[in-house]
Amino acid sequence: MRVLIPGGAGYIGSVLTGHLLNLGHQVTVLDNLYFQQKSLFGYASNPNFDFVYGDTRDRATLEPLMAKNDVIIHLAAVVGMPACKKDPEYSQSLNYGSAKLVADLASKDQRIIYPCTNSGYGTQSGDLHCDENTPLAPISLYGTSKAEGEKAILDSGKGMAFRLATVFGASPRMRIDLLVNDFTHKAYSQGAIVIYEGHFMRNFVGIQDVARAMIFAMDNFESMRGEVYNLGLDSANMSKIDLCNKVKEHVPHFYFTEATVGSDPDKRNYIVSNEKLRQAGFEASQTIDDGIRELLKVYKMFGRNEYGNV
Ligand SMILES: NC(=O)c1ccc[n+]([C@@H]2O[C@H](COP(=O)([O-])OP(=O)(O)OC[C@H]3O[C@@H](n4cnc5c(N)ncnc54)[C@H](O)[C@@H]3O)[C@@H](O)[C@H]2O)c1
């Protein structure tokens, strides 16, 4: 298939592109390289890969590219609450506006796959156990703009959405702000961390599983069209303290303690059911242990800090 990935040079897209090319699909990434990333260089020699440098919010850029593709995996976003806070206008126009544009421009025959976030579960109802019927009522701009994007895609009848757990694992466009990646990085680089809201429950999913799930959705699109699916690993419904203990199994000298040094603006504290996606035929399989092992290899490869003196 011909696949267009707006935002495909990011953390998830840089891994997903490799999976798609390995399966023989034609992949075009549209990205404005917001982080000056070089994460797709390794794919340049593949004749099935193409890259367009541009802004996916720009109709004149997006429209001709959409016309040439069967599937649109819309990854472009300003991701996470701190990043959105820095530029709220840009974040809203990208997270919601560009999703709406994709939904408007797509034909009925095209397939849109959209990754939303599961932050927003339980904020109103206080439910600890959440599934796709639990109201998604996010608080931060990141959560609200992504949820509006999801609605635009689903309302169009041309797409399906995943509500992703917090992703972990290695990517050529690495992110160390994500919880498993962050705790493992602190354990490796500092040997210690101070956490807050340690009993808050979160759900996680490996980045290879995210790529596989998106391809599963491409291949089974007609039965998934118009639907939303949680995408997480059941065994990785765990508290921050559980996660620290897990990291400590791999980095024995890791010390962690809890203090009231922060609070989550999206009040993420939930146990997420991934049953609906399992019933559809997909189940995540990368464990947290797999992820921590993978991450520790990556952190060794970070090598010397550009500004450090050791
Ligand atoms: N990583 C997670 O834990 C997670 C969880 C839930 C949902 N998601 C969603 O998955 C998607 C990808 O997330 P990620 O972790 O890869 O983030 P990322 O920040 O690494 O990727 C975003 C990409 O969008 C690109 N971009 C920014 N502005 C653009 C513009 N105007 N035009 C074109 N490209 C632009 C960036 O250069 C980057 O390559 C996002 O939609 C995010 O909301 C991620």
Side-chain angles (χ1 to χ4, degrees):
M1 279 191 243
R2 294 162 304 174
V3 185
L4 175 67
I5 318 181
Y11 175 66
I12 293 173
S14 304
V15 170
L16 173 64
T17 297
H19 281 242
L20 289 164
L21 291 172
N22 287 342
L23 290 168
H25 296 292
Q26 282 180 33
V27 181
T28 302
V29 167
L30 165 62
D31 202 296
N32 70 351
L33 303 176
Y34 197 73
F35 305 99
Q36 301 182 333
Q37 59 269 50
K38 303 168 179 67
S39 53
L40 301 174
F41 281 14
Y43 304 127
S45 63
N46 191 318
N48 285 335
F49 173 74
D50 201 5
F51 179 80
V52 177
Y53 176 64
D55 188 334
T56 193
R57 298 172 305 164
D58 176 29
R59 190 185 182 112
T61 304
L62 185 65
E63 196 163 16
L65 291 173
M66 282 200 47
K68 284 190 243 163
N69 284 278
D70 310 302
V71 181
I72 298 94
I73 307 183
H74 185 61
L75 302 183
V78 178
V79 184
M81 183 277 293
C84 287
K85 222 172 157 182
K86 278 195 173 163
D87 196 340
E89 230 168 276
Y90 181 73
S91 304
Q92 181 68 17
S93 69
L94 182 62
N95 297 8
Y96 166 67
S98 72
K100 176 82 171 78
L101 186 59
V102 165
D104 289 347
L105 291 178
S107 74
K108 290 277 176 211
D109 300 328
Q110 287 178 309
R111 306 167 183 199
I112 310 172
I113 295 169
Y114 179 80
C116 195
T117 165
N118 67 13
S119 14
Y121 277 152
T123 52
Q124 302 277 325
S125 53
D127 288 343
L128 191 57
H129 291 266
C130 302
D131 64 18
E132 291 80 353
N133 296 315
T134 310
L136 198 61
I139 299 164
S140 74
L141 174 60
Y142 174 60
T144 56
S145 59
K146 287 296 297 183
E148 287 165 21
E150 177 191 277
K151 188 172 180 316
I153 300 284
L154 295 178
D155 285 353
S156 73
K158 301 167 190 165
M160 62 76 62
F162 286 113
R163 289 181 183 157
L164 267 62
T166 299
V167 184
F168 63 80
S171 165
R173 139 71 183 147
M174 196 51 197
R175 285 186 57 191
I176 54 168
D177 57 312
L178 298 162
L179 214 65
V180 180
N181 297 6
D182 177 32
F183 285 11
T184 308
H185 185 243
K186 297 253 167 61
Y188 177 79
S189 61
Q190 302 169 8
I193 190 174
V194 181
I195 59 167
Y196 55 86
E197 296 169 338
H199 289 91
F200 272 29
M201 297 290 293
R202 295 280 296 271
N203 191 214
F204 305 103
V205 65
I207 191 164
Q208 304 293 329
D209 278 328
V210 173
R212 282 192 283 263
M214 289 181 171
I215 291 165
F216 178 85
M218 260 171 62
D219 293 343
N220 296 277
F221 190 78
E222 280 319 317
S223 60
M224 298 175 93
R225 185 192 283 275
E227 296 287 328
V228 60
Y229 297 84
N230 292 330
L231 172 53
L233 177 72
D234 278 342
S235 64
N237 270 303
M238 60 205 304
S239 71
K240 293 186 193 175
I241 290 172
D242 294 337
L243 177 60
C244 284
N245 280 315
K246 229 349 154 191
V247 173
K248 196 171 168 62
E249 286 173 23
H250 295 263
V251 186
H253 67 271
F254 179 43
Y255 172 80
F256 61 92
T257 188
E258 192 174 353
T260 51
V261 290
S263 68
D264 183 347
D266 269 322
K267 307 276 170 249
R268 287 168 291 185
N269 179 28
Y270 38 52
I271 296 168
V272 180
S273 165
N274 300 295
E275 185 57 27
K276 183 175 172 187
L277 187 56
R278 189 165 31 253
Q279 290 297 327
F282 182 88
E283 185 165 6
S285 60
Q286 263 182 291
T287 66
I288 286 279
D289 288 302
D290 295 335
I292 294 169
R293 273 191 288 269
E294 172 181 325
L295 288 162
L296 288 170
K297 281 187 238 173
V298 171
Y299 297 148
K300 271 193 250 175
M301 290 188 273
F302 274 16
R304 193 176 285 182
N305 180 329
E306 191 182 352
Y307 303 108
N309 197 29
V310 282

